[in-house]
Amino acid sequence: VQLVESGGGSVQSGGSLRLSCTASGFTFDDFEVGWFRQAPGSECELVSMLSSDGSSDYSNSAKGRFTISRDNAKNMLYLQMNSLKPSDTAVYYCAAERPPLRKYDDVFCGGPGYWGQGTQVTVSS
């Protein structure tokens, strides 16, 4: 079982990035999936999540700027991030779990489901 994120990098404020997460070793369709992020010295926060029935949820900071999507046929999860701000700078993690998608706590990004190793996003002003 593996989740591998890609697409992170450095971008200027106002720019866009598209994160991808490739899942392998399990039946992706039945899982609730999501993106979390953690900035240095900050708590792990949920950015967005997507259920197997297609319903989605976003943090207040992500609403209107980020879009989560999945391609079950390809076992892929995506996060389109537009109008990026320096406050979006963090390590972004994808996660998948049979509902509900959970994290252990706010101290670090991890949980009882499947988690990737993270991809760094840096937004400069």
Side-chain angles (χ1 to χ4, degrees):
V1 173
Q2 197 173 20
L3 292 177
V4 179
E5 302 96 338
S6 60
S10 297
V11 65
Q12 289 191 327
S13 181
S16 298
L17 284 173
R18 188 194 194 203
L19 304 184
S20 299
C21 175
T22 304
S24 60
F26 64 102
T27 305
F28 190 67
D29 310 34
D30 300 333
F31 282 64
E32 196 162 79
V33 292
W35 291 94
F36 295 79
R37 70 184 183 186
Q38 188 162 29
S42 299
E43 295 181 343
C44 178
E45 65 169 324
L46 174 66
V47 176
S48 181
M49 61 188 302
L50 186 58
S51 68
S52 56
D53 66 3
S55 59
S56 60
D57 195 18
Y58 295 88
S59 66
N60 286 335
S61 61
K63 282 179 183 176
R65 299 188 299 127
F66 295 2
T67 303
I68 191 170
S69 62
R70 66 194 295 170
D71 185 336
N72 289 338
K74 296 181 179 179
N75 274 10
M76 295 289 295
L77 175 66
Y78 305 99
L79 185 69
Q80 178 66 43
M81 303 187 296
N82 298 327
S83 303
L84 283 162
K85 307 173 182 179
S87 56
D88 294 317
T89 295
V91 177
Y92 285 70
Y93 300 87
C94 65
E97 187 176 1
R98 293 189 185 277
L101 178 62
R102 299 164 292 168
K103 59 181 171 78
Y104 288 128
D105 54 40
D106 295 331
V107 176
F108 68 97
C109 281
Y114 305 134
W115 288 69
Q117 292 300 306
T119 185
Q120 176 70 47
V121 171
T122 302
V123 184
S124 58
S125 57

